[in-house]
Amino acid sequence: MNRRLILPVLIFVFAALLPFRSPAPLIHVPGEGWYYEPAGGNLKWVRQRASDQLQVAQDAFKQKDYATASHAAHRILRVWPQSDYAPAAQFLLAECLEAEGRDEMAFNSYQALIQKYPTSKEYNTALRKQYEISNRFLAGEWTRIGFGYIPFPMSLDDTANMFAKIVNNGPYSDVAPHAQLHVGATRDKQKNYEEAVKAYELAADRYHDQPDIAADAMYHQGLSYEREAEKAEYDQSTAGKAIAAYTDFITIFPDDKRVAAAQKAILALKEEQVRGNFEIAKFYEKGHKWMGAVIYYNEVLQLDPNSSYAAIARQRIETLKPKIRTEPTASN
């Protein structure tokens, strides 16, 4: 069952199991989830001015009373959404969710700050917080559903989308280059190497003026191509792309400590290309397709004239040349 379909089912079950412990009213905040607003008009944390309400929220947060801090912050956003205190309340609400370990909801709450209050002084801090949360999910942290109580695996798709959202929020912020690299890393972990390559290409292109980022992006682009080439049957064309990516990396960043690893990878890729073409040539020869066999034996020589397959390839070419003249053409 789809993760997003499981969520409402679990929420229903959770609510059904605790029918007498649920105070009213129950309020849903889009993107952030559900929370309880305690009933009654004599609540000690309620204030009649936004500034006073924010002070209550901040004091409660300092005392690690996250429930009171959240209620007070929510009240500011509900009663005074356009006030000067609303951005601080939104940020504080996100901090409460993060402190309680409800990281996915915290991410969405920081996102609400970024979208609703783009001039907030906490904008860049919110981006950094989102980046830290996304890294925790990439490292294997589970999200929480059912009012934040039920652990649930975080999908790699959702994690990649989080990193992408950070980049979209601030393409040239301090964390954006690293977030873009982590889009690629998440896709690599997912074994979606095609999307990983795209993410690394974007990082190398957009942040070409940041050598550390560009070098990371180009090296991992080659690595993703290499992994893609090794999936299922060996992909000769993708192997060629891996070699090209590693070669570009070595050319542009010759002093990078990973150059030796890239050179070793190129040798291994070329060796595999040679072996692959040699096997294809043998296949054509076995099927009496002399021209095809000669083409692939020649490819072996072009890729590496000194390989262990080269001498046999030369011998087979000389043996097959006379047969080519007698090979029937497609029109015959």
Side-chain angles (χ1 to χ4, degrees):
M1 184 184 293
N2 184 279
R3 174 175 179 264
R4 296 305 179 186
L5 293 178
I6 293 175
L7 175 57
V9 174
L10 289 176
I11 291 174
F12 174 80
V13 171
F14 181 81
L17 291 174
L18 299 172
F20 301 110
R21 296 176 57 191
S22 299
L26 181 63
I27 298 174
H28 180 261
V29 180
E32 297 172 22
W34 297 85
Y35 82 100
Y36 292 116
E37 182 66 80
N42 297 316
L43 299 174
K44 294 181 179 180
W45 56 267
V46 173
R47 298 293 183 273
Q48 300 308 312
R49 295 194 307 175
S51 58
D52 294 338
Q53 192 69 79
L54 180 61
Q55 189 62 54
V56 169
Q58 291 172 335
D59 290 345
F61 183 80
K62 289 177 184 178
Q63 295 169 13
K64 298 184 179 181
D65 182 358
Y66 303 125
T68 298
S70 296
H71 293 313
H74 269 301
R75 186 165 188 272
I76 295 170
L77 296 174
R78 191 176 68 256
V79 179
W80 303 284
Q82 303 304 320
S83 72
D84 293 339
Y85 304 97
Q90 183 67 59
F91 184 79
L92 186 61
L93 176 59
E95 286 189 303
C96 288
L97 291 166
E98 188 176 3
E100 292 175 324
R102 294 187 282 179
D103 273 351
E104 186 175 9
M105 287 188 286
F107 183 98
N108 292 333
S109 194
Y110 286 124
Q111 184 65 24
L113 171 77
I114 290 166
Q115 291 177 335
K116 296 176 183 177
Y117 311 108
T119 60
S120 168
K121 65 179 182 179
E122 303 291 357
Y123 190 100
N124 288 324
T125 304
L127 286 175
R128 178 174 55 79
K129 292 278 193 176
Q130 285 187 316
Y131 178 67
E132 292 170 357
I133 289 170
S134 302
N135 275 333
R136 291 198 288 270
F137 284 130
L138 179 58
E141 178 184 295
W142 284 26
T143 188
R144 290 181 175 273
I145 59 177
F147 308 118
Y149 292 102
I150 305 172
F152 199 85
M154 188 67 169
S155 79
L156 288 172
D157 270 334
D158 286 343
T159 303
N161 290 335
M162 282 182 166
F163 283 119
K165 191 170 288 186
I166 294 167
V167 177
N168 290 334
N169 287 337
Y172 297 99
S173 65
D174 290 342
V175 297
H178 303 281
Q180 184 60 47
L181 286 175
H182 280 83
V183 174
T186 307
R187 295 305 184 188
D188 264 333
K189 191 173 182 179
Q190 195 178 26
K191 297 185 179 181
N192 186 346
Y193 301 120
E194 184 178 350
E195 290 301 315
V197 165
K198 291 178 182 178
Y200 292 131
E201 283 179 338
L202 179 57
D205 180 53
R206 178 177 286 170
Y207 307 112
H208 60 87
D209 57 340
Q210 300 184 43
D212 290 346
I213 298 297
D216 266 355
M218 294 184 71
Y219 177 76
H220 282 95
Q221 182 181 339
L223 198 57
S224 293
Y225 270 132
E226 183 180 0
R227 290 167 176 163
E228 175 69 18
E230 291 171 352
K231 284 176 60 177
E233 295 183 3
Y234 198 81
D235 188 331
Q236 297 287 340
S237 64
T238 306
K241 292 176 182 177
I243 291 171
Y246 279 133
T247 302
D248 287 344
F249 165 72
I250 293 169
T251 302
I252 298 174
F253 303 103
D255 297 324
D256 191 284
K257 64 182 180 181
R258 293 165 292 190
V259 164
Q263 290 171 331
K264 184 178 179 180
I266 288 173
L267 289 175
L269 285 161
K270 286 185 174 180
E271 182 178 345
E272 186 58 31
Q273 280 187 314
V274 169
R275 187 200 66 78
N277 279 282
F278 186 82
E279 293 299 324
I280 294 172
K282 285 172 59 180
F283 174 80
Y284 276 113
E285 184 176 358
K286 186 176 181 179
H288 296 175
K289 303 295 183 180
W290 317 124
M291 179 62 77
V294 168
I295 288 173
Y296 280 97
Y297 282 132
N298 270 316
E299 189 68 21
V300 169
L301 299 178
Q302 290 177 12
L303 286 168
D304 188 354
N306 300 313
S307 73
S308 58
Y309 297 96
I312 300 174
R314 290 189 186 94
Q315 181 184 36
R316 298 313 304 158
I317 288 171
E318 293 305 315
T319 300
L320 294 175
K321 277 182 178 179
K323 297 184 178 182
I324 292 175
R325 303 188 190 97
T326 61
E327 184 177 5
T329 61
S331 60
N332 292 334

